[in-house]
Amino acid sequence: MRRLPRKDAVIIGLGWTGAIMGHELCQAGLEVVALERGPWRDTASDFNIGTAPDELRYGIRGELFLNNSQDSVTARNKTDQVALPIRKWGSFLPGNGVGGSGVHWNGHTWRFLPSDFNILSHYRERYGEGIFPENHTIQDWGITYDELEPYYDKFEYLAGISGQAGNINGEIQPGGNPFEGRRQRGYPTPPLKGQHAQDLFSKAATELGFKPFPMPSANISQAYTNPLGVTLAPCTYCGFCERFGCANYSKASPQTTVLPVLMRHPGFEARTQCEVVRVLKSADGKTATGVVYIDAQGQEWEQPADLVIMAAYQLWNVRLMLYSGIGKPYDPSTGEGVVGRNYAYQANSSVNGFFDNTHAFNHWAGAGSLGITADEYNGDNFDHSGLNFVGGANINCTSFHARPISARPIPPGTPRWGSAWKKATREAYNTFANVGSQGSVMSFRDNYLDLDPTYKDRLGRPLLRMTFDFKPNEERMSAYVTEKMVPIMRAMGAKQVVANPKKGPWNVVPYQTTHNTGGAVMGDNPRTSAVNKYLQVWDMPNVFVLGASAFPQNAGYNPTGTVGALTYHAADAIVSQYLKNPGQSLVQA
């Protein structure tokens, strides 16, 4: 193993969190190196307009996703089952390469509700201890919405998010989300233009007493130059967002917001196709001294650093902590330990509507986060008394694509092949609409991550093992919210309505969402959290773990906005506090 010159900071992963943190640390004068195990990805060369909208290449064959021969996870629903490796990504799609999952995301950019951050104390105070499901490990985040609000704002203005504010400094704004937390100003760009489906949804939802509003979108509605001086172009509604890089510089990603500036900084270096295999520790085990990584030629290198920033995808952050011996591994039999604890996911559902041929929805002219949302049944925006579940879901109507291979909506009872299938496909393709929900998932004692005892990767390291299933709490929540969605679809004019609430068991095969959370959760108690409110490891203060691995449970929103805000919050703490007193914990246990 060859030893390289020391850096002030080494960042593991160069997606949203790594790029933001790299920029903030370089601006503070630090020498920073980022190690990315995937390839370099650039908008002009990798996502040019001639090759980007290739559904077979990107949407079906998944060129932007991590190759399962390089790494995977094993999965099971219960602790008494044997976990097996995921040979082909299905339920979720981890990104690979510079930009990470920020390249292929749809662009939904939410702020979590204020009550999401103190969910345990909030529900306990309002409903009593009996509201909580059996064997839950729900906990407060150790940070409040108000503390995080300035950093939500900073991320939204970096990304140029398009939307309509609902609460500016406590004053409810017409046309926005009346349930959102207080924000200091409106979105940097106006909402995207809606389609026919959104018009029908808005009218129907309003008539039923909802207050619909435009979905906040990282698909930019107009040309925008962010505070770093990087310009994004207006969305062209091509429908190639999810699973694709944006050829038009219209979708906020690290490539279109941060990297053009960061890569020019003299204090920054990025090394691609370099996989970090473990974090090195001092003799007493209390300090990280750097990392070991393998380059594309298989050569092993030691990169010493004063600060180690874990900025990989949620799953790989947790695995690296477990393999490196950082933090106490979680044991579901005793409930002790913190690394791997509180793994959660998302409980999505849908109501499909099939209309007559007087409607033409033209979903192909869509965008990843082109939609209208209603938040009446999200979080604790509604009375949970007697409902026997915790959590909720947003309700939305989107037009994000009608790509020819995967967009094949057909009514129930249609044959799977032949002339009848062709006829139904032809008739439903442009007369189909969907009302969906993005549902929360609470944390439970037996939903967790650990190292698999049997299966290893190509380097001989144990794979990460995922033990997860949807619990009755999530099934009841999804059934309740989905039932509220059916009247909206009927009021939109659908001639046939098909409801699909979330039901267990969780299955690794069909795609559901790439919103994996938890495993290195934040909190105010080192007995129940791996990192403090600044994402600093409790017992190894020069290690910070970024991303959705910090979520103690998942809310009824997409995670990226909160991931970005938490990253800016952590970066501010490192620059303004930690660097003045290196090696010290920013929060006293």
Side-chain angles (χ1 to χ4, degrees):
M1 181 168 59
R2 301 179 186 180
R3 195 171 192 266
L4 295 163
R6 177 175 295 276
K7 294 283 188 177
D8 294 319
V10 59
I11 296 176
I12 304 165
L14 193 53
W16 269 123
T17 59
I20 290 172
M21 182 62 75
H23 179 264
E24 297 300 292
L25 296 184
C26 285
Q27 288 295 102
L30 273 62
E31 288 195 351
V32 179
V33 59
L35 302 173
E36 167 57 53
R37 73 173 168 186
W40 176 260
R41 298 195 192 279
D42 180 75
T43 298
S45 58
D46 291 286
F47 311 126
N48 70 79
I49 195 65
T51 60
D54 186 336
E55 185 181 7
L56 183 61
R57 177 180 177 183
Y58 294 108
I60 306 302
R61 293 176 176 165
E63 186 169 307
L64 297 180
F65 310 138
L66 181 65
N67 192 310
N68 292 92
S69 65
Q70 182 178 3
D71 208 348
S72 189
V73 302
T74 65
R76 61 183 181 175
N77 294 126
K78 299 177 181 179
T79 56
D80 61 357
Q81 297 173 333
V82 175
L84 297 174
I86 296 177
R87 305 288 186 178
K88 177 180 174 58
W89 300 119
S91 176
F92 50 87
L93 305 170
N96 188 44
V98 172
S101 296
V103 172
H104 69 77
W105 70 316
N106 256 331
H108 301 204
T109 311
W110 295 98
R111 297 182 176 201
F112 283 7
L113 297 166
S115 61
D116 288 331
F117 293 99
N118 64 334
I119 183 171
L120 181 67
S121 53
H122 172 86
Y123 274 84
R124 180 181 287 150
E125 180 180 348
R126 184 174 181 184
Y127 303 107
E129 195 68 41
I131 186 72
F132 296 106
E134 184 181 6
N135 291 325
H136 79 89
T137 51
I138 299 168
Q139 64 188 58
D140 294 344
W141 290 52
I143 193 171
T144 66
Y145 171 86
D146 286 339
E147 288 178 280
L148 209 52
E149 195 283 330
Y151 305 99
Y152 271 124
D153 179 84
K154 192 168 184 176
F155 180 72
E156 289 168 357
Y157 273 76
L158 171 80
I161 302 303
S162 298
Q164 172 62 51
N167 180 347
I168 298 180
N169 294 320
E171 293 188 10
I172 302 302
Q173 306 295 307
N177 182 4
F179 300 100
E180 72 174 357
R182 175 198 62 82
R183 59 172 61 241
Q184 59 183 277
R185 55 180 171 171
Y187 287 98
T189 54
L192 293 169
K193 295 178 180 178
Q195 283 273 39
H196 179 48
Q198 287 75 57
D199 291 341
L200 291 180
F201 176 86
S202 293
K203 183 176 184 296
T206 300
E207 291 174 350
L208 292 170
F210 293 87
K211 295 180 175 61
F213 59 93
M215 179 179 291
S217 170
N219 319 122
I220 310 304
S221 63
Q222 62 184 34
Y224 174 75
T225 301
N226 74 12
L228 302 187
V230 182
T231 299
L232 289 83
C235 179
T236 58
Y237 301 86
C238 73
F240 287 85
C241 292
E242 180 205 33
R243 309 188 185 201
F244 300 82
C246 180
N248 202 49
Y249 295 82
S250 302
K251 181 172 67 175
S253 69
Q255 282 85 350
T256 57
T257 58
V258 186
L259 290 174
V261 174
L262 178 58
M263 293 303 297
R264 289 178 170 85
H265 198 288
F268 182 75
E269 178 187 359
R271 299 177 198 152
T272 57
Q273 296 182 322
C274 293
E275 181 169 2
V276 174
V277 294
R278 69 183 183 276
V279 177
L280 298 173
K281 300 185 290 185
S282 60
D284 62 6
K286 295 181 179 180
T287 304
T289 60
V291 302
V292 174
Y293 71 90
I294 304 290
D295 66 16
Q297 287 72 45
Q299 175 67 50
E300 194 172 53
W301 300 85
E302 177 187 349
Q303 177 59 69
D306 296 327
L307 266 175
V308 174
I309 309 293
M310 293 189 184
Y313 188 70
Q314 171 266 344
L315 296 171
W316 317 129
N317 276 345
V318 177
R319 186 212 195 176
L320 188 58
M321 293 180 74
L322 290 168
Y323 190 69
S324 303
I326 297 174
K328 183 179 180 180
Y330 173 68
D331 183 350
S333 64
T334 64
E336 296 180 355
V338 291
V339 182
R341 183 177 187 271
N342 284 34
Y343 173 72
Y345 195 42
Q346 204 105 58
N348 299 345
S349 72
S350 67
V351 172
N352 298 329
F354 297 88
F355 292 71
D356 60 38
N357 59 14
T358 62
H359 294 274
F361 289 106
N362 298 336
H363 292 299
W364 47 267
S369 44
L370 170 61
I372 299 293
T373 301
D375 243 4
E376 274 73 6
Y377 293 98
N378 201 357
D380 193 37
N381 294 340
F382 58 105
D383 188 356
H384 283 70
S385 299
L387 297 181
N388 199 23
F389 66 80
V390 172
N394 66 21
I395 296 173
N396 57 75
C397 179
T398 60
S399 292
F400 70 100
H401 83 87
R403 299 188 290 267
I405 299 175
S406 53
R408 299 284 175 156
I410 51 176
T414 302
R416 294 177 62 87
W417 62 282
S419 59
W421 175 81
K422 292 178 182 180
K423 181 176 183 293
T425 298
R426 183 173 62 252
E427 292 177 349
Y429 179 78
N430 209 28
T431 58
F432 166 87
N434 170 272
V435 173
S437 76
Q438 188 89 283
S440 61
V441 169
M442 296 299 109
S443 49
F444 293 86
R445 183 165 175 159
D446 56 351
N447 281 345
Y448 67 101
L449 305 170
D450 67 351
L451 294 179
D452 192 276
T454 303
Y455 293 96
K456 294 178 171 58
D457 69 4
R458 73 197 192 288
L459 302 174
R461 299 174 299 167
L463 294 184
L464 188 69
R465 180 170 63 176
M466 177 184 295
T467 304
F468 175 78
D469 206 354
F470 293 111
K471 303 296 186 180
N473 181 83
E474 279 61 51
E475 292 181 323
R476 288 191 288 265
M477 178 278 296
S478 184
Y480 181 82
V481 177
T482 305
E483 185 180 334
K484 304 297 181 182
M485 294 152 54
V486 170
I488 301 177
M489 181 59 78
R490 294 196 187 282
M492 289 171 65
K495 65 179 183 180
Q496 185 177 1
V497 177
V498 182
N500 304 287
K502 177 61 68 179
K503 296 180 181 179
W506 170 64
N507 188 332
V508 303
V509 176
Y511 181 71
Q512 292 157 70
T513 178
T514 309
H515 299 164
N516 314 84
T517 66
V521 306
M522 62 192 296
D524 57 11
N525 187 336
R527 290 184 63 253
T528 57
S529 58
V531 298
N532 61 28
K533 67 192 295 183
Y534 301 111
L535 308 186
Q536 180 187 38
V537 175
W538 284 105
D539 52 6
M540 196 169 287
N542 71 328
V543 178
F544 291 76
V545 185
L546 313 180
S549 53
F551 292 14
Q553 52 276 319
N554 207 4
Y557 288 127
N558 305 59
T560 306
T562 301
V563 166
L566 286 171
T567 302
Y568 270 122
H569 182 252
D572 186 26
I574 293 173
V575 172
S576 64
Q577 300 180 55
Y578 179 84
L579 294 180
K580 296 176 182 178
N581 197 9
Q584 299 300 307
S585 179
L586 298 176
V587 178
Q588 296 305 309

